[in-house]
Amino acid sequence: MNAMVKAEGVHKSFGPVEVLKGIDLEVKSGEVFCLIGPSGSGKSTFLRCINHLEKINAGRLYVDGELVGYRQKGDKLYELKDSEVAVKRRDIGMVFQRFNLFPHMTAVENVMEAPVQVKGVSKSQARSRAQELLDRVGLADKAGNYPSQLSGGQQQRVAIARALAMDPKLMLFDEPTSALDPELVGDVLDVMRDLAESGMTMVVVTHEMGFAREVGDSLVFMDGGVVVESGHPREVLTNPQHERTKSFLSKVL
C-alpha cells in the first residue's frame, strides 16, 4: 500500500515556541488515521501542515508521493508559489472545528462554490453533484436552507459535503465534532463512518475515542509536539504502553 501522507522529521515553530519537534509518521492510502492528545500537543498544527496552511520549518512532508509546499532540486528545497500550492490543495479536503460556511449562500450553493470557481465546472453540473452530496450526508431536504437555519451538526455535514465536492484523495478533519452539542455528534460521525467505508483516506484529529476505536485503522497519541505512542486504535486505547498515554486516557475514557 502506498503512503498517502508521509512525515519525516517535521518541525514547526511559532516564534520561539516549538510546536512540532520532529514528527515521523505514515498514513497509508485508504486508511483512517486518528490523532489524539491533549490541547496544545500539536495535532491541529500538524494537520494544517499537511495541506500547507502552515509551513514547516524543517523535515519533509509528502502527500501522495509529492512534497508539500516545496519542490526539490538536487539537495535544495524551493518553496512553491501560492498558485502552485493552491492547485495541490484541491486534492485535499479539510473540515474544521468551526464550519466556515458562507452565511449568504444556501447549503447547495456552499457545496457548489468551489467546483464552479476553482475547477470551472458548469453551474448545472455542480448543482446536481451538490444535491447528490447533500443526499449522501443526509441533508437532501435542506439544500435551500441558509447556514443560520441549520443546526451545528447539519452545518458540519454541509461542510463535509463541500469538501467532498472537490473529489479529494485525502480528507483532513480537525476535531469536527468538538463544537457540537452532544446529541448532534452522532450524525456527523455517521457520515465520517460512511466515508471511511467507501475507502477515503482520512486523517482525523478527534476526542471521540469510540470513533477512533471502531473506525480507525491507526492511532497516534501526541503530546508536547512529539508522537508518544502509536499503533492499532484498540491496542493503544485498551493497553497503552506509556505512562503519559495511560494518564491521558484515564481522563478521557
Side-chain angles (χ1 to χ4, degrees):
M1 252 191 186
N2 296 341
M4 180 59 80
V5 179
K6 189 170 185 174
E8 297 174 347
V10 169
H11 287 256
K12 171 67 186 172
S13 299
F14 294 104
V17 181
E18 197 178 17
V19 181
L20 299 176
K21 303 172 182 171
I23 300 290
D24 294 293
L25 55 79
E26 200 169 288
V27 180
K28 295 188 185 75
S29 198
E31 181 172 50
V32 177
F33 191 96
C34 296
L35 287 167
I36 65 168
S39 291
S41 58
K43 313 177 299 290
S44 293
T45 298
F46 178 69
L47 204 67
R48 293 168 70 84
C49 290
I50 294 176
N51 66 355
H52 208 58
L53 286 175
E54 299 290 355
K55 296 173 184 178
I56 66 177
N57 300 111
R60 297 273 195 282
L61 195 47
Y62 300 88
V63 169
D64 206 14
E66 292 187 17
L67 272 171
V68 173
Y70 299 90
R71 78 161 59 83
Q72 188 163 351
K73 262 193 176 165
D75 297 338
K76 281 204 155 163
L77 285 185
Y78 296 91
E79 194 163 346
L80 297 178
K81 297 191 189 93
D82 287 348
S83 57
E84 295 173 289
V85 170
V87 169
K88 305 254 190 213
R89 204 179 274 146
R90 291 178 192 180
D91 290 332
I92 304 174
M94 181 138 185
V95 177
F96 299 89
Q97 206 168 338
R98 301 270 164 210
F99 327 117
N100 298 350
L101 297 176
F102 297 116
H104 62 290
M105 291 184 183
T106 61
V108 77
E109 287 166 349
N110 264 285
V111 178
M112 287 168 60
E113 179 72 358
V116 171
Q117 298 298 339
V118 179
K119 282 191 165 173
V121 174
S122 75
K123 280 200 167 168
S124 62
Q125 207 182 335
R127 182 175 290 274
S128 84
R129 173 85 174 118
Q131 290 282 8
E132 273 170 37
L133 288 168
L134 287 173
D135 186 29
R136 183 174 178 184
V137 300
L139 293 173
D141 58 331
K142 302 288 184 194
N145 289 39
Y146 289 92
S148 61
Q149 299 169 314
L150 300 172
S151 72
Q154 290 170 335
Q155 289 185 58
Q156 192 60 295
R157 285 186 280 154
V158 174
I160 294 172
R162 179 180 62 179
L164 292 174
M166 291 294 281
D167 295 315
K169 53 188 169 188
L170 169 65
M171 285 282 281
L172 308 176
F173 292 88
D174 189 7
E175 299 189 9
T177 57
S178 64
L180 301 179
D181 293 332
E183 69 268 25
L184 303 176
V185 167
D187 291 338
V188 173
L189 293 180
D190 285 345
V191 170
M192 292 169 66
R193 206 171 268 122
D194 170 61
L195 263 188
E197 283 166 11
S198 75
M200 174 65 76
T201 311
M202 297 160 62
V203 183
V204 185
V205 173
T206 187
H207 295 297
E208 301 292 337
M209 300 302 156
F211 175 84
R213 186 189 292 110
E214 290 159 41
V215 184
D217 299 299
S218 297
L219 180 108
V220 157
F221 170 66
M222 279 177 71
D223 190 26
V226 298
V227 171
V228 177
E229 189 162 347
S230 62
H232 190 277
R234 285 187 188 146
E235 193 57 36
V236 175
L237 292 172
T238 52
N239 188 20
Q241 300 302 301
H242 291 259
E243 285 309 316
R244 184 67 194 92
T245 319
K246 287 176 189 169
S247 139
F248 173 75
L249 291 174
S250 72
K251 295 185 180 78
V252 297
L253 284 179

